[in-house]
Structure formats: structure tokens, C-alpha cells
Amino acid sequence: MPNAIVVSLINMKGGVGKTTLAVGLAWELAMKGRRVLLVDIDPQFNATQWIVDTATYLGWLKNRHTVLNIFMPNGIEDIAPAKPTPASAIIPVIRGGHRLDVLPSTLDLMKLDAAPRGTENRLRVFLDKVRSSYEYILIDCPPTASLFSYSAFLSSDAYLVPIKPDPLSVLGLPLLERAMQDYEDRAGQALYLLGLVFCQVRQTEAMTDTMKLVRRQYAGQVFEDTIGQTTGVAEAADKNLPLQLSTKGGKFNEVKTALNGICREFENRVAALL
Ligand SMILES: Nc1ncnc2c1ncn2[C@@H]1O[C@H](COP(=O)(O)OP(=O)(O)OP(=O)(O)O)[C@@H](O)[C@H]1O
Ligand SMILES: [Mg+2]
């Protein structure tokens, strides 16, 4: 059984669409019959909240594990020691007959500020144990250059950059490059850039110009399809629904078509990498 390819969705800029793309792409792959694990390492736990309904999540927290237990298997403060296993830390979620596995996050991850040396390697060690069970493992990163993002870097084969084509977000790209360079220097290994995906796109002249500029600067690295800004994304998240299963019509259908195209290009780019 071939091992999963691990891809982090990274951008140090907040609110650009990382989680929306991570969840959308994960479900799209799952709906194509791929075995997918989505790893949430953001203390905001937005991907977890989107995919897992509240009752299931609260029940899970009572006697199962989250990514916090992977970072701190010996416990911190009031959190009981725990040795997470795939069965105790991965939630299988079924929607529309398709399965997506989630390694959930928790707000308590914020307590993990003074972690001992070596903590950054724990996620990789855990994921190495489950790699053979999946074709794709996607990691939804927080918008910070933190222990979490560095752990994702150390765990991944490649990274994908969701980007909002507004001037301020584009200005963040050199900062991201610098952060990735810093990680490469620390780790002594490079991470393959799978590409950039435009998210929350509006048909304004400014955004169109910005996209042209980025496509020129990052020639060959920007995905063809773009995700448009549309109402209905937050509602789908609120109902724990994949975007693909939302019944909202109109412009929302363009988002579904875009996710389909992005997924196809994603798989092609991964195949070229292997
Ligand atoms: N295509 C879209 N159309 C409309 N709203 C969107 C779209 N994509 C994302 N949003 C909304 O924009 C906000 C930020 O999106 P998202 O959470 O995906 O970004 P993020 O980069 O993961 O943010 P953070 O840096 O906080 O993790 C959310 O409220 C989300 O519902
Ligand atoms: Mg997010």
C-alpha cells in the first residue's frame, strides 16, 4: 500500500481562505473515493468545527484525543496524560455516503506555548504511523509562524498556498517565502511548493490586475481555477456540510466547479511530484 502524500495549507496571512480550501479539497478528494485525512493544527479549530458537528465533537472530547495529545502525550496542567492512537484521535465523518477522517484540534492547543524541545517532531511521528492508511493527508495550518506551522512543515512533503488576490495579502507572499526559508534552514530540508490557489476572488479590476501580476511572478505555480467569493460558504460551515453538498444554487455552483478543477490539478501536480 503506497504511503499518503502529506500537504500543508500554509499562509501566514489570516483569513485568506486556508480552511475553506482545506475542507473543500479534502471533501472533493473524499468524494472521488480517495482515502483522506484532514489534520487541524489551528487552535481556532475552524476546520474541526466545520466538518464535525458539535454534539459529536463534545462527546469526542470526553474520552478521546485531539491533536493536543499528540503534541503533549504526557499532559499539561489540568489536561490528563494520554497516549493517542489512530483510533483514539481520528474521527471518521460520513457525509453523502463519503468518508473523510479528521484529526481534530481544540482551543486548549493555545496552552501549548512553552513546549519542551522535540515537541515539533511529534506530529510527524504520529502521521508516519497512519500514512499507509491514506492517499492524502492535508494539514490546515494557523496563520502564524508557530510551533504548529513548523510541525506541519516537518510532517509534510509539499505545501499549498491559498491566497486572496488583494494587495495586502499579496504583500504577505515575500513574508511567507521568508518564513519557509527559515523553516528550511532549521530543518535542513526543503518543502516542495505545490502551488498557489486564489480564494475569495471578486471580479473587480484591482483583483484581476493583482491575479495577473501574481501569475506572472509565480509563473507555472498558480492553479488555473479560482474560488470566487460567494454567500453560502459560512452557512455550509455552520451546518457541517461539505460545500459540494450545499443546495445553494446560482453563483455557488461556480465554487463547486472550481473545487472540482482545483482537485484535478492538485492530483496532477502531486502525480508529477512522485
Ligand atoms: N469563497 C468564499 N466566499 C465567501 N466567504 C468565504 C470564502 N472563503 C472563505 N470565506 C469566509 O472568509 C472567512 C475566512 O476564511 P477561512 O477561514 O477559510 O480563512 P483562513 O485563511 O483559514 O483564516 P485563518 O487565518 O483565521 O485560519 C471565513 O469566515 C469564511 O467563511
Ligand atoms: Mg483557518
Side-chain angles (χ1 to χ4, degrees), residues 57-75:
Y57 181 64
L58 293 178
W60 188 268
L61 290 184
K62 281 186 194 148
N63 56 7
R64 305 289 184 89
H65 298 140
T66 69
V67 76
L68 173 67
N69 303 100
I70 288 169
F71 285 119
M72 299 295 283
N74 299 320

Side-chain angles (χ1 to χ4, degrees), residues 6-270:
V6 185
V7 179
S8 279
L9 285 91
I10 300 190
N11 194 334
M12 305 305 175
K13 180 95 177 78
V16 293
K18 292 179 289 296
T19 299
T20 304
L21 181 63
V23 174
L25 183 59
W27 272 122
E28 191 72 28
L29 288 163
M31 286 173 186
K32 283 176 109 171
R34 312 290 186 246
R35 287 162 301 137
V36 188
L37 171 66
L38 188 138
V39 179
D40 188 357
I41 54 156
D42 188 345
Q44 299 180 94
F45 71 117
N46 291 151
T48 303
Q49 284 171 304
W50 185 336
I51 301 169
V52 186
D53 67 88
T54 309
T56 303
Y57 181 64
L58 293 178
W60 188 268
L61 290 184
K62 281 186 194 148
N63 56 7
R64 305 289 184 89
H65 298 140
T66 69
V67 76
L68 173 67
N69 303 100
I70 288 169
F71 285 119
M72 299 295 283
N74 299 320
I76 47 169
E77 294 172 17
D78 51 330
I79 297 159
K83 190 142 183 66
T85 63
S88 76
I90 294 175
I91 312 180
V93 179
I94 311 281
R95 295 280 182 273
H98 305 282
R99 172 172 163 171
L100 172 61
D101 285 1
V102 181
L103 174 46
S105 181
T106 163
L107 205 57
D108 283 335
L109 207 55
M110 280 194 305
K111 294 183 184 169
L112 197 95
D113 42 8
R117 265 186 74 180
T119 303
E120 67 275 14
N121 293 313
R122 292 190 188 276
L123 181 65
R124 180 178 51 77
V125 171
F126 182 86
L127 292 183
D128 277 349
K129 281 189 262 178
V130 299
R131 265 177 107 127
S132 63
S133 304
Y134 299 99
E135 285 161 282
Y136 297 102
I137 297 177
L138 303 182
I139 308 180
D140 185 28
C141 294
T144 48
S146 52
L147 165 74
F148 310 119
S149 297
Y150 187 49
S151 297
F153 178 96
L154 293 174
S155 307
S156 298
D157 303 301
Y159 68 107
L160 187 63
V161 180
I163 174 177
K164 191 172 169 178
D166 64 20
L168 280 182
S169 301
V170 170
L171 279 176
L173 279 176
L175 295 178
L176 173 65
E177 278 180 24
R178 209 177 307 157
M180 296 308 283
Q181 184 60 54
D182 176 45
Y183 286 172
E184 281 182 28
D185 293 345
R186 273 163 75 185
Q189 68 185 52
L191 206 57
Y192 184 85
L193 171 62
L194 210 55
L196 284 70
V197 179
F198 287 124
C199 301
Q200 301 179 50
V201 174
R202 281 177 289 118
Q203 296 306 321
T204 62
E205 208 179 312
M207 277 209 173
T208 308
D209 288 349
T210 304
M211 287 195 288
K212 272 190 202 149
L213 188 82
V214 174
R215 282 193 191 276
R216 225 176 10 243
Q217 266 176 6
Y218 291 82
Q221 291 178 317
V222 183
F223 276 57
E224 188 70 28
D225 284 284
T226 64
I227 299 182
Q229 171 130 345
T230 171
T231 54
V233 171
E235 288 97 307
D238 199 42
K239 291 182 186 157
N240 308 113
L241 259 191
L243 294 169
Q244 292 83 349
L245 296 184
S246 164
T247 51
K248 207 169 166 72
K251 222 175 150 238
F252 198 82
N253 285 326
E254 290 170 22
V255 170
K256 294 183 188 176
T257 308
L259 278 172
N260 194 268
I262 289 165
C263 184
R264 199 175 324 119
E265 186 165 353
F266 175 86
E267 289 208 283
N268 288 341
R269 284 175 181 253
V270 167

